[in-house]
Amino acid sequence: MIISVKLYTKKGDQGQTGILSNQRVLKNNPILEAYGDVDELSAILGLAQTKNCPPALETHLKRIQSELLVLGTELASLDMEEKQRKKLPQLNEEMISQLEQEIDQMDAELEPLTNFILPGGAASACHLHMARTVCRRAERRTVVLREKLENRPSILPYLNRLSDWLFVAARWSNLKAGERDHLWNAS
């Protein structure tokens, strides 16, 4: 038996939405701002997979999109009681370590940076540079929630490491596409 549910509820027509704690909050609530940026980041990572994305990178990006769903769930549950939140998936140190290992692997193939670079190059690299800026915004928005994050120690380190990962992945994507970094010329 298939149960049909309408996509629209009209409950948000006055600028409020429901969160995991079953509260209704304004759509500009800092929690929604943070996980909205995480959602945008995931969408850009989907876009990065569409144009000349190295297959190995595509696999990593799909994993990261799944981790971003975990992150979004963590942010959406910040107003829940801790007992209830513990039942939900959480980011962990292994996910952060995985990003660090991949940064080191990709970086080992790249020329050392001696100059600032401008976002550009292959389409996948451009999308990854854009994802990095959205990741930094998500991190800034999440810092606002710092007091609510005390039982979620992996959230801010994960976002910080992910933005580093995205920078290196953009450079690595250019390398694999035969593109050079676009160096900034200050003059």
Side-chain angles (χ1 to χ4, degrees):
M1 175 163 78
I2 298 174
I3 298 173
S4 178
V5 178
K6 286 189 177 188
L7 181 62
Y8 58 91
T9 64
K10 300 182 183 182
K11 292 180 182 178
D13 290 354
Q14 301 304 312
Q16 291 187 338
T17 193
I19 57 176
L20 288 177
S21 64
N22 291 324
Q23 296 175 323
R24 296 211 48 87
V25 298
L26 290 175
K27 291 184 178 185
N28 66 349
N29 181 294
I31 291 173
L32 272 68
E33 294 283 355
Y35 74 69
D37 287 342
V38 169
D39 187 35
E40 182 181 353
L41 172 56
S42 181
I44 295 170
L45 294 182
L47 188 60
Q49 295 171 55
T50 63
K51 294 286 185 181
N52 69 2
C53 181
L57 194 57
E58 187 174 348
T59 301
H60 295 316
L61 291 172
K62 287 181 188 311
R63 184 199 78 242
I64 290 169
Q65 283 181 300
S66 292
E67 291 170 356
L68 290 174
L69 279 175
V70 171
L71 173 55
T73 300
E74 284 202 76
L75 292 170
S77 67
L78 286 177
D79 282 340
M80 289 177 74
E81 291 183 28
E82 188 59 27
K83 183 171 75 172
Q84 292 300 106
R85 285 172 54 195
K86 285 185 177 186
K87 296 176 184 177
L88 299 172
Q90 297 178 29
L91 294 176
N92 58 54
E93 284 297 318
E94 291 80 30
M95 293 172 180
I96 297 167
S97 294
Q98 176 88 28
L99 292 173
E100 291 170 348
Q101 290 169 13
E102 292 165 2
I103 289 169
D104 293 342
Q105 290 167 354
M106 290 184 287
D107 197 46
E109 295 182 45
L110 298 170
E111 292 181 24
L113 272 181
T114 57
N115 201 354
F116 288 111
I117 64 168
L118 302 172
S124 62
C126 292
H127 292 128
L128 291 167
H129 279 297
M130 181 178 279
R132 175 187 50 80
T133 66
V134 172
C135 187
R136 287 289 190 207
R137 180 175 5 112
E139 182 181 12
R140 290 189 304 271
R141 295 257 172 94
T142 302
V143 166
V144 171
L145 305 168
R146 187 177 219 143
E147 290 176 7
K148 296 182 180 202
L149 298 177
E150 56 186 48
N151 293 323
R152 295 291 190 251
S154 296
I155 290 177
L156 288 174
Y158 180 86
L159 282 168
N160 188 275
R161 212 68 77 250
L162 180 57
S163 63
D164 295 336
W165 187 98
L166 291 164
F167 177 77
V168 173
R171 294 188 65 218
W172 190 80
S173 185
N174 269 339
L175 174 74
K176 295 303 176 186
E179 295 274 347
R180 297 189 54 80
D181 287 328
H182 296 198
L183 300 179
W184 176 58
N185 183 354
S187 55

Short mmCIF file of all heavy atoms in Angstrom, two decimals, residues 103-167:
data_model
loop_
_atom_site.label_atom_id
_atom_site.label_comp_id
_atom_site.label_asym_id
_atom_site.label_seq_id
_atom_site.Cartn_x
_atom_site.Cartn_y
_atom_site.Cartn_z
N ILE A 103 43.17 15.14 2.48
CA ILE A 103 43.88 16.39 2.21
C ILE A 103 45.35 16.08 1.97
O ILE A 103 45.95 16.55 0.99
CB ILE A 103 43.72 17.39 3.38
CG1 ILE A 103 42.29 17.93 3.44
CG2 ILE A 103 44.74 18.54 3.27
CD1 ILE A 103 41.99 18.72 4.72
N ASP A 104 45.94 15.29 2.85
CA ASP A 104 47.37 14.96 2.73
C ASP A 104 47.66 14.21 1.43
O ASP A 104 48.66 14.48 0.77
CB ASP A 104 47.83 14.13 3.94
CG ASP A 104 47.81 14.93 5.24
OD1 ASP A 104 47.78 16.19 5.19
OD2 ASP A 104 47.83 14.29 6.31
N GLN A 105 46.77 13.28 1.06
CA GLN A 105 46.98 12.51 -0.17
C GLN A 105 46.92 13.40 -1.41
O GLN A 105 47.77 13.31 -2.30
CB GLN A 105 45.94 11.39 -0.28
CG GLN A 105 46.15 10.28 0.73
CD GLN A 105 44.95 9.34 0.82
OE1 GLN A 105 43.90 9.57 0.21
NE2 GLN A 105 45.10 8.27 1.60
N MET A 106 45.90 14.26 -1.47
CA MET A 106 45.78 15.15 -2.63
C MET A 106 46.91 16.17 -2.66
O MET A 106 47.50 16.43 -3.71
CB MET A 106 44.42 15.86 -2.63
CG MET A 106 43.24 14.95 -2.93
SD MET A 106 41.65 15.82 -3.03
CE MET A 106 41.33 16.22 -1.31
N ASP A 107 47.22 16.73 -1.50
CA ASP A 107 48.24 17.77 -1.42
C ASP A 107 49.63 17.24 -1.82
O ASP A 107 50.43 17.99 -2.37
CB ASP A 107 48.28 18.35 0.00
CG ASP A 107 49.01 19.67 0.06
OD1 ASP A 107 48.77 20.54 -0.80
OD2 ASP A 107 49.84 19.84 0.98
N ALA A 108 49.87 15.97 -1.58
CA ALA A 108 51.17 15.37 -1.94
C ALA A 108 51.40 15.42 -3.45
O ALA A 108 52.55 15.41 -3.89
CB ALA A 108 51.23 13.93 -1.44
N GLU A 109 50.34 15.50 -4.24
CA GLU A 109 50.48 15.56 -5.69
C GLU A 109 50.57 16.99 -6.23
O GLU A 109 50.86 17.18 -7.41
CB GLU A 109 49.29 14.86 -6.36
CG GLU A 109 49.21 13.37 -6.08
CD GLU A 109 48.04 12.73 -6.81
OE1 GLU A 109 47.85 13.04 -8.01
OE2 GLU A 109 47.32 11.94 -6.18
N LEU A 110 50.30 17.97 -5.38
CA LEU A 110 50.23 19.36 -5.82
C LEU A 110 51.56 20.08 -5.61
O LEU A 110 52.33 19.75 -4.70
CB LEU A 110 49.14 20.10 -5.04
CG LEU A 110 47.72 19.58 -5.23
CD1 LEU A 110 46.78 20.24 -4.23
CD2 LEU A 110 47.25 19.82 -6.66
N GLU A 111 51.79 21.09 -6.45
CA GLU A 111 52.93 21.96 -6.23
C GLU A 111 52.67 22.78 -4.97
O GLU A 111 51.54 23.20 -4.71
CB GLU A 111 53.12 22.91 -7.42
CG GLU A 111 53.55 22.22 -8.69
CD GLU A 111 53.74 23.22 -9.83
OE1 GLU A 111 53.99 24.42 -9.55
OE2 GLU A 111 53.64 22.79 -10.97
N PRO A 112 53.71 23.03 -4.18
CA PRO A 112 53.51 23.84 -2.97
C PRO A 112 53.00 25.23 -3.34
O PRO A 112 53.38 25.80 -4.36
CB PRO A 112 54.91 23.92 -2.35
CG PRO A 112 55.67 22.79 -2.96
CD PRO A 112 55.08 22.56 -4.32
N LEU A 113 52.14 25.77 -2.49
CA LEU A 113 51.61 27.12 -2.71
C LEU A 113 52.65 28.16 -2.30
O LEU A 113 53.18 28.10 -1.19
CB LEU A 113 50.35 27.35 -1.88
CG LEU A 113 49.03 26.94 -2.50
CD1 LEU A 113 47.89 27.26 -1.56
CD2 LEU A 113 48.80 27.63 -3.82
N THR A 114 52.93 29.07 -3.19
CA THR A 114 53.84 30.17 -2.88
C THR A 114 53.16 31.51 -3.12
O THR A 114 53.78 32.55 -2.97
CB THR A 114 55.11 30.09 -3.76
OG1 THR A 114 54.72 30.11 -5.13
CG2 THR A 114 55.89 28.82 -3.45
N ASN A 115 51.88 31.45 -3.49
CA ASN A 115 51.14 32.64 -3.84
C ASN A 115 49.66 32.36 -3.59
O ASN A 115 49.24 31.21 -3.56
CB ASN A 115 51.37 32.95 -5.33
CG ASN A 115 51.08 34.38 -5.70
OD1 ASN A 115 50.60 35.15 -4.89
ND2 ASN A 115 51.37 34.73 -6.94
N PHE A 116 48.88 33.42 -3.41
CA PHE A 116 47.44 33.24 -3.36
C PHE A 116 46.97 32.79 -4.74
O PHE A 116 47.58 33.14 -5.75
CB PHE A 116 46.73 34.56 -3.00
CG PHE A 116 46.89 34.95 -1.57
CD1 PHE A 116 47.66 36.05 -1.22
CD2 PHE A 116 46.28 34.23 -0.56
CE1 PHE A 116 47.81 36.43 0.09
CE2 PHE A 116 46.42 34.59 0.77
CZ PHE A 116 47.19 35.70 1.09
N ILE A 117 45.90 32.03 -4.76
CA ILE A 117 45.34 31.64 -6.05
C ILE A 117 43.92 32.19 -6.16
O ILE A 117 43.24 32.44 -5.16
CB ILE A 117 45.34 30.11 -6.27
CG1 ILE A 117 44.44 29.39 -5.27
CG2 ILE A 117 46.74 29.55 -6.22
CD1 ILE A 117 44.19 27.94 -5.64
N LEU A 118 43.52 32.39 -7.40
CA LEU A 118 42.16 32.83 -7.70
C LEU A 118 41.32 31.61 -8.05
O LEU A 118 41.79 30.72 -8.75
CB LEU A 118 42.17 33.81 -8.87
CG LEU A 118 43.03 35.06 -8.70
CD1 LEU A 118 43.09 35.83 -10.01
CD2 LEU A 118 42.49 35.92 -7.58
N PRO A 119 40.08 31.55 -7.57
CA PRO A 119 39.23 30.44 -7.96
C PRO A 119 39.07 30.41 -9.48
O PRO A 119 38.84 31.45 -10.10
CB PRO A 119 37.90 30.74 -7.28
CG PRO A 119 38.26 31.63 -6.12
CD PRO A 119 39.42 32.45 -6.62
N GLY A 120 39.22 29.26 -10.06
CA GLY A 120 39.07 29.13 -11.50
C GLY A 120 39.58 27.80 -11.98
O GLY A 120 39.99 26.95 -11.21
N GLY A 121 39.54 27.63 -13.30
CA GLY A 121 40.02 26.41 -13.90
C GLY A 121 38.88 25.53 -14.39
O GLY A 121 37.89 26.02 -14.92
N ALA A 122 39.04 24.24 -14.16
CA ALA A 122 38.04 23.27 -14.60
C ALA A 122 36.71 23.51 -13.88
O ALA A 122 36.68 24.04 -12.77
CB ALA A 122 38.55 21.86 -14.32
N ALA A 123 35.62 23.11 -14.52
CA ALA A 123 34.30 23.33 -13.93
C ALA A 123 34.18 22.72 -12.54
O ALA A 123 33.67 23.36 -11.62
CB ALA A 123 33.22 22.75 -14.85
N SER A 124 34.68 21.50 -12.36
CA SER A 124 34.57 20.88 -11.04
C SER A 124 35.37 21.68 -10.01
O SER A 124 34.93 21.84 -8.87
CB SER A 124 35.04 19.42 -11.08
OG SER A 124 36.40 19.33 -11.45
N ALA A 125 36.52 22.19 -10.38
CA ALA A 125 37.33 23.00 -9.47
C ALA A 125 36.60 24.29 -9.09
O ALA A 125 36.60 24.69 -7.92
CB ALA A 125 38.68 23.32 -10.09
N CYS A 126 35.97 24.92 -10.07
CA CYS A 126 35.22 26.15 -9.78
C CYS A 126 34.09 25.87 -8.80
O CYS A 126 33.86 26.64 -7.86
CB CYS A 126 34.66 26.74 -11.07
SG CYS A 126 35.93 27.39 -12.19
N HIS A 127 33.38 24.76 -8.99
CA HIS A 127 32.31 24.40 -8.07
C HIS A 127 32.86 24.10 -6.68
O HIS A 127 32.23 24.44 -5.68
CB HIS A 127 31.51 23.22 -8.62
CG HIS A 127 30.73 23.56 -9.84
ND1 HIS A 127 30.80 22.83 -10.99
CD2 HIS A 127 29.87 24.57 -10.10
CE1 HIS A 127 30.02 23.36 -11.90
NE2 HIS A 127 29.45 24.42 -11.39
N LEU A 128 34.00 23.47 -6.62
CA LEU A 128 34.61 23.18 -5.31
C LEU A 128 35.06 24.45 -4.61
O LEU A 128 34.94 24.57 -3.39
CB LEU A 128 35.77 22.19 -5.48
CG LEU A 128 35.33 20.78 -5.87
CD1 LEU A 128 36.52 19.95 -6.32
CD2 LEU A 128 34.58 20.10 -4.74
N HIS A 129 35.58 25.42 -5.37
CA HIS A 129 35.92 26.71 -4.77
C HIS A 129 34.67 27.39 -4.23
O HIS A 129 34.68 27.98 -3.14
CB HIS A 129 36.62 27.63 -5.78
CG HIS A 129 38.08 27.35 -5.96
ND1 HIS A 129 39.00 27.49 -4.93
CD2 HIS A 129 38.79 26.97 -7.05
CE1 HIS A 129 40.20 27.20 -5.37
NE2 HIS A 129 40.11 26.88 -6.66
N MET A 130 33.58 27.33 -4.99
CA MET A 130 32.32 27.91 -4.51
C MET A 130 31.84 27.18 -3.25
O MET A 130 31.40 27.81 -2.29
CB MET A 130 31.25 27.85 -5.60
CG MET A 130 29.93 28.46 -5.17
SD MET A 130 28.72 28.40 -6.49
CE MET A 130 29.26 29.83 -7.42
N ALA A 131 31.96 25.87 -3.26
CA ALA A 131 31.57 25.07 -2.08
C ALA A 131 32.39 25.48 -0.86
O ALA A 131 31.86 25.55 0.25
CB ALA A 131 31.74 23.58 -2.38
N ARG A 132 33.67 25.75 -1.07
CA ARG A 132 34.53 26.18 0.04
C ARG A 132 34.00 27.47 0.67
O ARG A 132 33.95 27.59 1.89
CB ARG A 132 35.97 26.38 -0.45
CG ARG A 132 36.91 26.94 0.61
CD ARG A 132 38.28 27.27 0.02
NE ARG A 132 38.24 28.08 -1.19
CZ ARG A 132 38.08 29.40 -1.21
NH1 ARG A 132 37.94 30.08 -0.09
NH2 ARG A 132 38.08 30.04 -2.36
N THR A 133 33.57 28.41 -0.15
CA THR A 133 33.09 29.68 0.41
C THR A 133 31.77 29.48 1.16
O THR A 133 31.55 30.10 2.20
CB THR A 133 32.92 30.76 -0.68
OG1 THR A 133 31.89 30.39 -1.58
CG2 THR A 133 34.22 31.00 -1.43
N VAL A 134 30.92 28.60 0.66
CA VAL A 134 29.66 28.30 1.36
C VAL A 134 29.97 27.55 2.66
O VAL A 134 29.32 27.78 3.68
CB VAL A 134 28.70 27.52 0.45
CG1 VAL A 134 27.47 27.04 1.23
CG2 VAL A 134 28.27 28.40 -0.72
N CYS A 135 30.95 26.67 2.63
CA CYS A 135 31.36 25.95 3.84
C CYS A 135 31.84 26.93 4.91
O CYS A 135 31.49 26.80 6.09
CB CYS A 135 32.44 24.93 3.50
SG CYS A 135 32.88 23.85 4.88
N ARG A 136 32.62 27.91 4.51
CA ARG A 136 33.09 28.93 5.47
C ARG A 136 31.91 29.72 6.04
O ARG A 136 31.89 30.06 7.21
CB ARG A 136 34.08 29.89 4.79
CG ARG A 136 35.43 29.29 4.53
CD ARG A 136 36.19 29.08 5.80
NE ARG A 136 37.57 28.73 5.51
CZ ARG A 136 38.33 28.02 6.31
NH1 ARG A 136 37.87 27.60 7.47
NH2 ARG A 136 39.56 27.73 5.99
N ARG A 137 30.92 30.02 5.20
CA ARG A 137 29.74 30.72 5.69
C ARG A 137 28.98 29.85 6.69
O ARG A 137 28.55 30.32 7.74
CB ARG A 137 28.82 31.13 4.54
CG ARG A 137 27.59 31.87 5.04
CD ARG A 137 26.65 32.43 3.98
NE ARG A 137 26.93 32.14 2.61
CZ ARG A 137 26.17 31.36 1.84
NH1 ARG A 137 25.10 30.75 2.32
NH2 ARG A 137 26.48 31.17 0.58
N ALA A 138 28.83 28.56 6.36
CA ALA A 138 28.16 27.64 7.29
C ALA A 138 28.91 27.59 8.61
O ALA A 138 28.30 27.56 9.69
CB ALA A 138 28.07 26.25 6.66
N GLU A 139 30.22 27.60 8.54
CA GLU A 139 31.04 27.60 9.76
C GLU A 139 30.78 28.87 10.57
O GLU A 139 30.59 28.81 11.79
CB GLU A 139 32.51 27.48 9.39
CG GLU A 139 33.44 27.41 10.58
CD GLU A 139 34.90 27.30 10.18
OE1 GLU A 139 35.25 27.51 8.98
OE2 GLU A 139 35.72 27.03 11.07
N ARG A 140 30.76 30.03 9.91
CA ARG A 140 30.50 31.29 10.62
C ARG A 140 29.11 31.29 11.26
O ARG A 140 28.93 31.73 12.39
CB ARG A 140 30.64 32.48 9.67
CG ARG A 140 32.06 32.76 9.22
CD ARG A 140 32.19 34.07 8.45
NE ARG A 140 31.32 34.19 7.30
CZ ARG A 140 31.63 33.78 6.07
NH1 ARG A 140 32.79 33.19 5.83
NH2 ARG A 140 30.78 33.96 5.07
N ARG A 141 28.14 30.78 10.53
CA ARG A 141 26.78 30.72 11.08
C ARG A 141 26.68 29.74 12.24
O ARG A 141 25.92 29.94 13.17
CB ARG A 141 25.78 30.33 9.98
CG ARG A 141 25.66 31.34 8.87
CD ARG A 141 24.38 32.15 9.00
NE ARG A 141 24.33 33.25 8.07
CZ ARG A 141 23.75 33.22 6.88
NH1 ARG A 141 23.19 32.13 6.44
NH2 ARG A 141 23.74 34.29 6.13
N THR A 142 27.46 28.67 12.17
CA THR A 142 27.43 27.67 13.23
C THR A 142 28.12 28.17 14.49
O THR A 142 27.70 27.84 15.59
CB THR A 142 28.05 26.35 12.72
OG1 THR A 142 27.32 25.93 11.56
CG2 THR A 142 27.97 25.26 13.76
N VAL A 143 29.14 28.98 14.33
CA VAL A 143 29.84 29.55 15.50
C VAL A 143 28.85 30.35 16.36
O VAL A 143 28.97 30.36 17.59
CB VAL A 143 31.04 30.41 15.06
CG1 VAL A 143 31.56 31.28 16.19
CG2 VAL A 143 32.14 29.53 14.52
N VAL A 144 27.87 30.98 15.74
CA VAL A 144 26.86 31.73 16.48
C VAL A 144 26.13 30.81 17.47
O VAL A 144 25.68 31.25 18.53
CB VAL A 144 25.85 32.38 15.50
CG1 VAL A 144 24.68 32.99 16.21
CG2 VAL A 144 26.56 33.42 14.63
N LEU A 145 26.06 29.53 17.16
CA LEU A 145 25.35 28.56 17.99
C LEU A 145 26.26 27.89 19.02
O LEU A 145 25.89 26.90 19.63
CB LEU A 145 24.72 27.48 17.10
CG LEU A 145 23.81 27.98 15.99
CD1 LEU A 145 23.50 26.86 15.01
CD2 LEU A 145 22.54 28.56 16.59
N ARG A 146 27.44 28.43 19.19
CA ARG A 146 28.49 27.80 20.00
C ARG A 146 28.01 27.27 21.35
O ARG A 146 28.37 26.18 21.76
CB ARG A 146 29.64 28.79 20.19
CG ARG A 146 30.83 28.18 20.85
CD ARG A 146 31.97 29.15 20.94
NE ARG A 146 33.15 28.38 20.68
CZ ARG A 146 34.18 28.79 20.03
NH1 ARG A 146 34.20 30.00 19.54
NH2 ARG A 146 35.22 28.03 19.84
N GLU A 147 27.19 28.04 22.06
CA GLU A 147 26.72 27.61 23.37
C GLU A 147 25.91 26.31 23.28
O GLU A 147 25.94 25.50 24.20
CB GLU A 147 25.89 28.69 24.03
CG GLU A 147 26.69 29.90 24.46
CD GLU A 147 25.83 31.02 25.02
OE1 GLU A 147 24.61 30.82 25.19
OE2 GLU A 147 26.40 32.09 25.28
N LYS A 148 25.20 26.14 22.20
CA LYS A 148 24.38 24.94 22.03
C LYS A 148 25.19 23.75 21.53
O LYS A 148 24.68 22.64 21.45
CB LYS A 148 23.23 25.22 21.07
CG LYS A 148 22.25 26.25 21.58
CD LYS A 148 21.12 26.44 20.62
CE LYS A 148 20.17 27.48 21.17
NZ LYS A 148 18.84 27.36 20.61
N LEU A 149 26.46 23.96 21.18
CA LEU A 149 27.28 22.92 20.58
C LEU A 149 28.15 22.18 21.59
O LEU A 149 28.93 21.31 21.20
CB LEU A 149 28.21 23.52 19.51
CG LEU A 149 27.54 24.17 18.31
CD1 LEU A 149 28.60 24.76 17.39
CD2 LEU A 149 26.69 23.18 17.56
N GLU A 150 28.03 22.50 22.88
CA GLU A 150 28.98 21.94 23.84
C GLU A 150 28.96 20.41 23.89
O GLU A 150 29.97 19.80 24.20
CB GLU A 150 28.80 22.54 25.22
CG GLU A 150 27.42 22.41 25.82
CD GLU A 150 27.30 23.16 27.13
OE1 GLU A 150 27.72 24.33 27.20
OE2 GLU A 150 26.79 22.56 28.08
N ASN A 151 27.87 19.76 23.56
CA ASN A 151 27.83 18.30 23.51
C ASN A 151 28.01 17.77 22.10
O ASN A 151 27.74 16.60 21.84
CB ASN A 151 26.51 17.78 24.10
CG ASN A 151 26.42 18.05 25.58
OD1 ASN A 151 27.42 17.97 26.30
ND2 ASN A 151 25.24 18.38 26.06
N ARG A 152 28.43 18.63 21.20
CA ARG A 152 28.67 18.24 19.81
C ARG A 152 30.06 18.75 19.40
O ARG A 152 30.20 19.65 18.59
CB ARG A 152 27.61 18.83 18.88
CG ARG A 152 26.20 18.31 19.12
CD ARG A 152 26.16 16.85 18.71
NE ARG A 152 24.81 16.34 18.69
CZ ARG A 152 24.33 15.47 19.58
NH1 ARG A 152 25.08 15.05 20.55
NH2 ARG A 152 23.12 15.00 19.47
N PRO A 153 31.12 18.14 19.95
CA PRO A 153 32.47 18.68 19.75
C PRO A 153 33.04 18.53 18.35
O PRO A 153 34.05 19.15 18.03
CB PRO A 153 33.31 17.89 20.76
CG PRO A 153 32.57 16.59 20.91
CD PRO A 153 31.11 16.95 20.79
N SER A 154 32.40 17.75 17.49
CA SER A 154 32.97 17.53 16.15
C SER A 154 32.45 18.48 15.09
O SER A 154 33.00 18.55 13.99
CB SER A 154 32.71 16.08 15.71
OG SER A 154 33.37 15.18 16.56
N ILE A 155 31.39 19.22 15.39
CA ILE A 155 30.75 20.04 14.35
C ILE A 155 31.69 21.12 13.81
O ILE A 155 31.92 21.20 12.60
CB ILE A 155 29.43 20.65 14.87
CG1 ILE A 155 28.38 19.54 15.04
CG2 ILE A 155 28.92 21.72 13.92
CD1 ILE A 155 27.06 20.02 15.61
N LEU A 156 32.20 21.97 14.67
CA LEU A 156 33.06 23.06 14.17
C LEU A 156 34.37 22.55 13.57
O LEU A 156 34.76 23.01 12.49
CB LEU A 156 33.31 24.09 15.27
CG LEU A 156 32.09 24.96 15.60
CD1 LEU A 156 32.37 25.86 16.80
CD2 LEU A 156 31.66 25.79 14.41
N PRO A 157 35.06 21.59 14.21
CA PRO A 157 36.26 21.06 13.55
C PRO A 157 35.97 20.43 12.19
O PRO A 157 36.76 20.56 11.26
CB PRO A 157 36.80 20.02 14.55
CG PRO A 157 36.28 20.47 15.87
CD PRO A 157 34.93 21.07 15.58
N TYR A 158 34.82 19.75 12.07
CA TYR A 158 34.47 19.13 10.79
C TYR A 158 34.32 20.21 9.71
O TYR A 158 34.88 20.08 8.61
CB TYR A 158 33.18 18.31 10.90
CG TYR A 158 32.80 17.66 9.60
CD1 TYR A 158 33.33 16.42 9.24
CD2 TYR A 158 31.95 18.29 8.69
CE1 TYR A 158 33.01 15.82 8.03
CE2 TYR A 158 31.62 17.70 7.48
CZ TYR A 158 32.15 16.48 7.15
OH TYR A 158 31.85 15.90 5.94
N LEU A 159 33.57 21.26 10.00
CA LEU A 159 33.38 22.32 9.01
C LEU A 159 34.70 23.00 8.65
O LEU A 159 34.97 23.30 7.48
CB LEU A 159 32.38 23.36 9.52
CG LEU A 159 30.92 22.96 9.44
CD1 LEU A 159 30.06 23.93 10.24
CD2 LEU A 159 30.45 22.88 7.99
N ASN A 160 35.53 23.21 9.65
CA ASN A 160 36.83 23.84 9.40
C ASN A 160 37.69 22.97 8.51
O ASN A 160 38.30 23.44 7.55
CB ASN A 160 37.51 24.15 10.74
CG ASN A 160 38.76 24.96 10.54
OD1 ASN A 160 39.83 24.42 10.27
ND2 ASN A 160 38.62 26.25 10.68
N ARG A 161 37.75 21.68 8.81
CA ARG A 161 38.57 20.77 8.02
C ARG A 161 37.98 20.59 6.63
O ARG A 161 38.71 20.48 5.65
CB ARG A 161 38.66 19.41 8.71
CG ARG A 161 39.97 18.70 8.45
CD ARG A 161 41.14 19.43 9.11
NE ARG A 161 41.13 19.14 10.54
CZ ARG A 161 40.83 20.04 11.50
NH1 ARG A 161 40.56 21.29 11.20
NH2 ARG A 161 40.86 19.72 12.76
N LEU A 162 36.65 20.57 6.54
CA LEU A 162 36.02 20.41 5.23
C LEU A 162 36.36 21.58 4.31
O LEU A 162 36.61 21.38 3.12
CB LEU A 162 34.51 20.25 5.36
CG LEU A 162 33.73 20.08 4.05
CD1 LEU A 162 34.23 18.88 3.25
CD2 LEU A 162 32.25 19.96 4.33
N SER A 163 36.40 22.79 4.83
CA SER A 163 36.74 23.92 3.96
C SER A 163 38.18 23.79 3.45
O SER A 163 38.46 24.10 2.29
CB SER A 163 36.51 25.25 4.66
OG SER A 163 37.35 25.39 5.77
N ASP A 164 39.08 23.29 4.31
CA ASP A 164 40.46 23.02 3.85
C ASP A 164 40.45 21.94 2.77
O ASP A 164 41.15 22.05 1.76
CB ASP A 164 41.33 22.56 5.02
CG ASP A 164 41.53 23.62 6.08
OD1 ASP A 164 41.40 24.82 5.77
OD2 ASP A 164 41.82 23.24 7.24
N TRP A 165 39.67 20.89 3.01
CA TRP A 165 39.57 19.78 2.05
C TRP A 165 39.09 20.31 0.70
O TRP A 165 39.63 19.94 -0.35
CB TRP A 165 38.61 18.73 2.60
CG TRP A 165 38.53 17.46 1.82
CD1 TRP A 165 39.19 16.30 2.09
CD2 TRP A 165 37.73 17.20 0.65
NE1 TRP A 165 38.85 15.34 1.16
CE2 TRP A 165 37.96 15.87 0.27
CE3 TRP A 165 36.84 17.96 -0.10
CZ2 TRP A 165 37.34 15.29 -0.84
CZ3 TRP A 165 36.22 17.39 -1.20
CH2 TRP A 165 36.48 16.07 -1.56
N LEU A 166 38.07 21.17 0.72
CA LEU A 166 37.51 21.69 -0.53
C LEU A 166 38.53 22.53 -1.30
O LEU A 166 38.58 22.48 -2.53
CB LEU A 166 36.24 22.49 -0.24
CG LEU A 166 35.05 21.64 0.24
CD1 LEU A 166 33.98 22.52 0.87
CD2 LEU A 166 34.49 20.79 -0.88
N PHE A 167 39.34 23.29 -0.58
CA PHE A 167 40.38 24.09 -1.23
C PHE A 167 41.38 23.18 -1.94
O PHE A 167 41.70 23.37 -3.12
CB PHE A 167 41.08 24.99 -0.21
CG PHE A 167 42.20 25.79 -0.79
CD1 PHE A 167 41.95 26.92 -1.54
CD2 PHE A 167 43.52 25.41 -0.59
CE1 PHE A 167 42.98 27.66 -2.10
CE2 PHE A 167 44.56 26.16 -1.13
CZ PHE A 167 44.29 27.27 -1.90
#
